Amino acid sequence: MWELEKTDARPDTRGPGGPGWRAARPYRPLAALMLATSMASFAALGALSLFARDELRASDTMVTVNFAVVALASMVVLLATGRFSDRRNVRPPIIAASLVWLGVGYAILASVRSYPAMLAVGIVFFCAVGVPNAQLMAYARDLVDRRNDTAASTAVIALMRIVLSVGSFAGFGIGGLGLAYLGARSLFGAVAVVCFGCAALSWRLLRGGDDVATAPPRPAGDEHTGDQAGVRTRAAGGPQLLLVLVVVMVLFSSGRVMQLSQLPILMRVSLHAPLQLTGFALALPPLCELVLMPAMAFAAMRWGRGTVFLVGGAASVAYYAGLVVVTTPGQLMLLQVVYAVFGAATVMVGIDLAQRLMAGRAGAATSMYLSHENVATVNGSVVATLSVATLGHRLGFLVPGTLCLVALALAAWAFIRHPQAFDLRLTSAVACRSGERGRRTRA
């Protein structure tokens, strides 16, 4: 199953100041573009629910249906564009076209007067909301591969993922201010202008294609360039292994909806925490992720991506188990930091793993991996509804905790079976030593 080929590449196991991190500097223009696009998307997202309820008189159920339907449509478009974008020189036009498409959608949304019209605009236009960022991450991976910056791949993904988190914070903040001082319709119009500007910037920035446009395309096989001990590995079944990774992430992420909806209730009803502390608790994990992501990227380069991924999965199991027995607000804050380990390790490293599993097809790999968020949103809504109805807001966290435990077991099983594909270095080293001892014994 495995073919090993020696190469001169060596892992960069030095800290954030090492060559692997310095090599991420040429990717900063891509990160700046992602920051602008993510800020625009999250600014509009923060105002969408109130716009539907206050101006279009939609019920809470209707708002939820809108998000669920758009999420399903977005998953279909994300997978289709991801697969198509791996053709030569197609990725930059897809990025620019998707931004223009979103800009038109936001401009039309600013003038709708009914909920059915908003739903139609969402299905037709906002099905492309995840395309720009997914394609920018894939484009960054293309540059890594063309320049042979294999030691910097995790650092580049960490950089892009950090920028996406910053964009979500800034976007939600801008959306709140825009909603208060401009109104939803004016905010949507401003977001449309930003999308058009980002489309022009992306076309100017990516049109030349740099290494990606001029270098011959690499065969879209199942070859994975590993950076452990200078070994390049080729494994069969890359798409199947990626599907396992996506299923694992769906299970890990299915408790997110319940966390957002029930954690404030848990703090107020069971822990009697003040409202200010409740808001801080929700903001703590993403804030901690900004600090933890560079550390987790360094750990992944040093000890293996698969190892760090499993550590993040174990953190999610500990988090949901802790929510069942937590008794003080201080304990809950500690659990929120534990949950940040999950986001910084599993979510971020998972993108890098997905792109390794389908070398030469970064668009399809990234889109397929990110589609787990859409599935988890729908699945998580069902999990939250049933869990709270049957067990209550505290014991209900046992359900997503159990799903995370199943996901951790499935990931460990897959990683142990395919240690080199998932960069599980300790297991891989043990397997190599065992194989060497077996060959010596037979000799």
Side-chain angles (χ1 to χ4, degrees):
M1 184 176 190
W2 299 98
E3 297 178 8
L4 303 181
E5 176 186 354
K6 291 291 182 181
T7 180
D8 293 332
R10 292 289 177 183
D12 177 17
T13 57
R14 280 174 271 185
W21 285 89
R22 288 197 297 270
R25 291 175 183 172
Y27 305 90
R28 289 177 182 174
L30 292 179
L33 181 59
M34 174 173 279
L35 178 64
T37 59
S38 59
M39 286 173 58
S41 297
F42 283 104
L45 181 62
L48 193 59
S49 297
L50 291 177
F51 170 72
R53 190 188 65 178
D54 296 341
E55 299 201 28
L56 304 183
R57 306 303 176 189
S59 65
D60 292 342
T61 302
M62 295 165 70
V63 173
T64 303
V65 168
N66 175 76
F67 279 107
V69 171
V70 173
L72 292 175
S74 177
M75 180 181 66
V76 174
V77 173
L78 196 63
L79 293 174
T81 54
R83 185 178 182 84
F84 179 74
S85 70
D86 289 326
R87 300 181 181 182
R88 188 180 181 187
N89 296 336
V90 173
R91 214 180 306 283
I94 289 180
I95 295 173
S98 62
L99 288 169
V100 171
W101 190 253
L102 289 172
V104 173
Y106 286 121
I108 296 176
L109 182 63
S111 63
V112 300
R113 300 293 175 182
S114 66
Y115 172 78
M118 184 189 78
L119 183 61
V121 170
I123 295 173
V124 174
F125 291 95
F126 300 144
C127 60
V129 71
V131 173
N133 288 338
Q135 291 301 311
L136 283 171
M137 285 188 177
Y139 190 90
R141 184 66 187 217
D142 291 342
L143 292 182
V144 170
D145 291 341
R146 299 300 187 183
R147 294 170 176 171
N148 294 320
D149 294 338
T150 53
S153 63
T154 306
V156 171
I157 294 301
L159 171 67
M160 302 295 280
R161 185 63 179 81
I162 290 170
V163 166
L164 184 60
S165 296
V166 173
S168 67
F169 293 135
F172 279 130
I174 293 172
L177 293 175
L179 194 62
Y181 292 101
L182 299 176
R185 297 185 185 277
S186 298
L187 175 63
F188 293 148
V191 170
V193 173
V194 173
C195 287
F196 291 137
C198 288
L201 178 62
S202 70
W203 186 253
R204 180 178 179 83
L205 181 65
L206 309 179
R207 181 179 56 179
D210 184 280
D211 303 356
V212 178
T214 57
R218 189 167 59 179
D222 289 326
E223 182 177 318
H224 314 295
T225 302
D227 55 10
Q228 178 197 358
V231 176
R232 178 173 297 172
T233 62
R234 179 179 298 169
Q240 289 76 17
L241 296 180
L242 178 56
L243 181 59
V244 172
L245 186 65
V246 171
V247 172
V248 166
M249 286 305 302
V250 168
L251 295 175
F252 273 137
S253 304
S254 292
R256 180 62 176 166
V257 174
M258 185 172 176
Q259 181 201 27
L260 293 176
S261 62
Q262 298 302 313
L263 192 62
I265 298 175
L266 174 65
M267 292 194 69
R268 291 291 292 164
V269 174
S270 299
L271 305 182
H272 309 290
L275 288 174
Q276 295 85 345
L277 193 60
T278 301
F280 179 71
L282 292 175
L284 187 58
L287 287 175
C288 291
E289 285 179 12
L290 297 181
V291 179
L292 289 172
M293 280 184 191
M296 291 300 172
F298 165 61
M301 287 188 286
R302 185 176 181 86
W303 293 293
R305 299 165 181 85
T307 306
V308 173
F309 186 96
L310 293 178
V311 169
S316 71
V317 176
Y319 173 74
Y320 287 110
L323 288 179
V324 178
V325 299
V326 66
T327 57
T328 66
Q331 293 174 353
L332 184 67
M333 293 300 169
L334 181 59
L335 287 176
Q336 292 298 91
V337 176
V338 172
Y339 190 75
V341 175
F342 162 73
T346 305
V347 177
M348 183 270 295
V349 173
I351 298 174
D352 198 15
L353 280 176
Q355 294 177 342
R356 279 170 52 89
L357 290 171
M358 295 179 65
R361 288 176 286 178
T366 307
S367 298
M368 187 174 177
Y369 176 83
L370 293 179
S371 66
H372 83 265
E373 298 176 352
N374 305 98
V375 179
T377 298
V378 179
N379 184 57
S381 299
V382 177
V383 169
T385 302
L386 296 179
S387 300
V388 175
T390 56
L391 299 175
H393 64 268
R394 178 189 283 272
L395 291 178
F397 284 109
L398 284 173
V399 177
T402 302
L403 293 178
C404 288
L405 186 60
V406 173
L408 181 61
L410 178 60
W413 171 80
F415 287 14
I416 291 172
R417 284 178 59 98
H418 307 282
Q420 290 173 297
F422 290 106
D423 196 17
L424 191 63
R425 297 188 185 170
L426 179 60
T427 305
S428 178
V430 172
C432 290
R433 287 196 296 268
S434 299
E436 182 64 25
R437 285 196 299 267
R439 285 192 294 271
R440 291 176 180 175
T441 301
R442 288 191 297 269

